[in-house]
Amino acid sequence: DTAMKDLMNKIHVMRAISPASVADNTAQVSQIIDRQGFESLTFAIATGSLADADATFTVLVEHGDAANLSDAAAVDDADLLGTEALASFAFGDDDETRKIGYIGNKRYTRLTITPSANASAALVAAVAILGHPQIVPTPNPPV
């Protein structure tokens, strides 16, 4: 049954962190993701080469009710699927992926990846996958 196998028309993928080469400890802050019209959200993180031999990359998910996230607060563990620790990564995690889900009730969220002890090129990117839409199919290409 094609309908059972159709994930594409039931998700909306948005840019969170554009692919970037980070050669210092500058936090990579995602776009603010608006969940209106969707009941679920998962952030997917992709790494490329992580050159520094002792770098770590810590993940933080924040949420709020203001469109500009002026009221941003760290998401309680109870409102996450998976943990920020499991979504974080280190220098040995080249060419891997991580994921973390949000099940809280705030409309706006963002993801931050903060490098530590990073002095060489680290390639990172992230997308937000919105699911359980109120209207299907979702637009393709996503807008």
Side-chain angles (χ1 to χ4, degrees):
D1 182 4
T2 304
M4 291 297 293
K5 296 179 182 178
D6 176 9
L7 178 62
M8 187 192 81
N9 286 306
K10 298 174 184 170
I11 63 170
H12 186 67
V13 180
M14 298 179 66
R15 175 175 69 95
I17 299 173
S18 293
S21 179
V22 185
D24 57 18
N25 293 322
T26 301
Q28 302 301 297
V29 181
S30 80
Q31 300 291 111
I32 294 171
I33 305 302
D34 183 350
R35 290 190 324 112
Q36 185 171 31
F38 296 88
E39 296 299 319
S40 61
L41 166 64
T42 298
F43 285 105
I45 302 164
T47 69
S49 174
L50 303 172
D52 196 307
D54 61 354
T56 59
F57 301 83
T58 304
V59 168
L60 170 69
V61 181
E62 295 172 295
H63 62 173
D65 294 314
N68 66 356
L69 274 183
S70 57
D71 61 342
V75 176
D76 290 336
D77 291 347
D79 287 333
L80 295 173
L81 294 173
T83 66
E84 291 162 320
L86 285 174
S88 299
F89 49 97
F91 60 90
D93 296 321
D94 298 313
D95 304 313
E96 292 185 4
T97 57
R98 298 289 188 271
K99 63 184 177 178
I100 189 163
Y102 175 75
I103 56 172
N105 294 316
K106 302 288 186 181
R107 178 170 169 180
Y108 301 98
T109 60
R110 75 175 164 219
L111 175 80
T112 300
I113 301 172
T114 303
S116 178
N118 182 50
S120 300
L123 303 176
V124 297
V127 295
I129 304 164
L130 294 160
H132 301 91
Q134 293 172 352
I135 299 171
V136 292
T138 55
N140 190 38
V143 291

